[in-house]
Amino acid sequence: MRIFILALSLVLLLSGCLNSKSKDFKNYITGDWRIENPTLQSFIRFDPNGKTTYFLNRYSYELDTLAEYGSWHLKDIYKGVSLDTFVVEIIKKPQNTEFKFLILEQNRIRVLDEAGETLFTRVHTD
C-alpha cells in the first residue's frame, strides 16, 4: 500500500511538472516567428488557441495574404541535459509536419525536422 501511495505521488508530481512545462512552452511559442532559410524568408504565427498561419514570404506576411492555415499542439517533451526538446505537431494540408524545438534564447529557437534544421527568430511587433 505504501508503495502504491509513493508511486501515485511520484506520478502526480511528474505530471504537474510536465503540465507546467507545457503551459510555459505554449506561452513562449505564441506569436510571430521568422523562419530563417537561405532561399526565402517565410513566417509562421502560433496562436494561443492552437491555430497556425504560415506565410510564404515577407510580402504575404506584411499584407496578411496568401497564407496557409493549420493547427498545432505540443505532442511530447523530452528532458535533455541542458536543453529540453519540445515536439510540436502542425496539422495542415497536404500533410502534417512534426518539428522538434530547442529553445536557444528568449527570441530564438532551433527547429529540427526530417529535412534538417532551421532557426526561427521572434518577430517583434511594436
Side-chain angles (χ1 to χ4, degrees), residues 30-46:
T30 299
D32 293 1
W33 295 85
R34 182 177 58 240
I35 303 170
E36 299 180 15
N37 45 20
T39 55
L40 72 129
Q41 282 191 346
S42 46
F43 295 80
I44 191 164
R45 177 177 298 140
F46 294 96

Side-chain angles (χ1 to χ4, degrees), residues 36-95:
E36 299 180 15
N37 45 20
T39 55
L40 72 129
Q41 282 191 346
S42 46
F43 295 80
I44 191 164
R45 177 177 298 140
F46 294 96
D47 291 335
N49 60 359
K51 301 292 181 194
T52 60
T53 308
Y54 173 77
F55 301 95
L56 183 62
N57 54 39
R58 179 171 289 283
Y59 185 73
S60 64
Y61 173 72
E62 289 174 355
L63 295 178
D64 199 11
T65 60
L66 301 174
E68 294 180 17
Y69 301 96
S71 60
W72 72 274
H73 70 274
L74 182 61
K75 188 173 180 180
D76 210 344
I77 302 172
Y78 296 112
K79 178 79 174 128
V81 175
S82 59
L83 293 175
D84 291 342
T85 303
F86 298 90
V87 179
V88 173
E89 183 176 33
I90 299 179
I91 301 156
K92 64 176 182 58
K93 302 279 186 215
Q95 69 183 34

Side-chain angles (χ1 to χ4, degrees), residues 113-124:
D113 64 4
E114 64 277 346
E117 71 176 48
T118 306
L119 295 176
F120 284 21
T121 304
R122 186 182 304 277
V123 176
H124 294 285

